[in-house]
Amino acid sequence: MSLLSVTGASAAYQDVVALHDVDLEVRESEVVAVLGANGAGKSTLLKTIVGLVPLRAGKIRFGSRDISTLKPQQVLREGVTLCPEGRRLFPDMTVAENIRLGAYSCRDTGTIRRRLEMLYDMFPKLSERARQLASSLSGGEQQMVAIARAMMSQPKLLLLDEPTLGLAPKMIHEVARLVKLINGEGISVILVEQNARLALRIAHRGYVLEHGGVSLHGESDELLSNEHVQQIYLGG
Ligand code: ATP
C-alpha cells in the first residue's frame, strides 16, 4: 500500500529550478533509494517532502492526507522525519541530550524516557556513550546519534540524507545494518546516497535523479543490472 506519493513535484530556489515534475512513491515498510550526482536535487526532494522547501507545482500525499502545503512541524506530526545531511549535532551537549532533542514536540517525560530506552535497546553502543559529549564521538557514531534523534519522533517514514558520507568502511556497514533494523520495525525509509551500490543493496526499489528529474526508477535488482546505472553510478 502506498504511504507517500509525490506527483509532478517541482521546486526552486529563486530562479534555480532544483526539482521538476518528480513522481515518487514509497510503500508501507519499504526502503527506497534515491541516487544521483551532486546537485541532482536529492536533498531538495527530501526538504520539499518535509515542507522546508515549498512546492512550486505538484502534490505530496502521506497516507490519506495531502501534505503539500503543511509546515515542517505539521509534517513531522504526521510521521515524516528528516535526518539531514551533515548530522547537525550540538557538539557541547551529551549524546543523550542530543537524542532527546528529537522528541521536542513531546512534553511527557515518561514517554520520552520510554522512547529513549527503546532506542538504547536498538543502538546499545549509544547507551554506553550516553553521557559523553557528542564532539567526542567518531563520525560514524555521530551519524548513529543523528539517526537516533530522528527516531525519537517515532516516524512512519524516515528520510535519511547521505548517512554514510565521509564514514570509514566499518561504520558504513554499521549504518547499513541500522537502516535494515529500523525497516525491520515496519518503518519506511527514503535513503539518499552517493554510495549507489550500498543503497541498492539495502533498498527494495530506487529512483535516479538527474538534473532535478527522475530519469530511471525500478526494483533495486533491475537498477543494479541497468547499464546506465552501472556506468554512471556503480563505477562501470
Ligand atoms: P548534494 O549531494 O551535492 O547535496 P543534491 O542532489 O542533494 O546534491 P541539492 O542540494 O538538492 O542536490 O541541489 C539541487 C540544486 O539546487 C543545485 O543546483 C543546487 O546548487 C541548488 N541549491 C540547493 N540548495 C540551494 C539554496 N539554498 N539556494 C540556492 N540554490 C540551491
Side-chain angles (χ1 to χ4, degrees):
M1 215 174 74
S2 180
L3 183 64
L4 178 86
S5 76
V6 176
T7 320
S10 299
Y13 302 97
Q14 282 97 38
D15 300 340
V16 182
V17 176
L19 277 187
H20 61 86
D21 203 18
V22 167
D23 289 342
L24 175 139
E25 190 195 9
V26 180
R27 301 172 194 146
E28 303 247 8
S29 305
E30 188 178 45
V31 180
V32 167
V34 175
L35 315 175
N38 280 340
K42 305 180 297 299
S43 300
T44 303
L45 173 63
L46 299 189
K47 287 178 190 164
T48 305
I49 293 170
V50 299
L52 286 168
V53 170
L55 268 180
R56 283 257 172 115
K59 199 177 228 187
I60 304 177
R61 289 190 74 81
F62 183 69
S64 57
R65 193 149 184 214
D66 184 344
I67 62 164
S68 313
T69 57
L70 295 190
K71 297 194 166 64
Q73 185 63 27
Q74 295 170 310
V75 177
L76 183 78
R77 255 185 257 128
E78 290 297 313
V80 186
T81 304
L82 172 65
C83 182
E85 188 179 342
R87 297 155 210 151
R88 315 233 180 114
L89 300 183
F90 289 92
D92 298 331
M93 288 168 65
T94 65
V95 166
E97 285 165 347
N98 269 284
I99 295 175
R100 270 204 208 96
L101 286 178
Y104 67 95
S105 59
C106 173
R107 298 247 162 88
D108 184 67
T109 48
T111 306
I112 293 175
R113 198 174 337 107
R114 275 194 301 281
R115 286 187 198 170
L116 201 56
E117 277 161 15
M118 268 173 54
L119 277 173
Y120 284 154
D121 284 344
M122 236 172 142
F123 306 54
K125 279 186 190 148
L126 294 186
S127 163
E128 290 162 23
R129 303 205 185 277
R131 287 164 195 278
Q132 279 182 231
L133 291 184
S135 57
S136 70
L137 268 52
S138 72
E141 289 166 338
Q142 290 189 17
Q143 183 62 57
M144 304 274 178
V145 176
I147 296 175
R149 179 185 56 192
M151 290 290 290
M152 276 301 273
S153 59
Q154 299 196 301
K156 298 186 192 108
L157 173 63
L158 178 66
L159 312 182
L160 294 174
D161 197 352
E162 303 271 13
T164 70
L165 196 68
L167 301 189
K170 188 167 163 261
M171 288 316 293
I172 291 178
H173 289 288
E174 273 293 297
V175 170
R177 199 182 62 82
L178 199 56
V179 175
K180 286 188 197 152
L181 205 65
I182 288 168
N183 180 239
E185 300 281 312
I187 297 165
S188 299
V189 178
I190 298 182
L191 178 61
V192 160
E193 265 291 337
Q194 297 241 343
N195 188 337
R197 198 177 299 279
L198 178 91
L200 290 174
R201 278 197 191 130
I202 302 172
H204 301 97
R205 293 187 302 116
Y207 289 76
V208 179
L209 271 188
E210 289 176 351
H211 310 294
V214 174
S215 60
L216 263 176
H217 67 99
E219 303 287 326
S220 294
D221 290 348
E222 281 167 27
L223 292 179
L224 278 166
S225 56
N226 178 283
E227 210 171 301
H228 178 72
V229 173
Q230 285 188 352
Q231 277 185 359
I232 310 286
Y233 302 101
L234 300 171

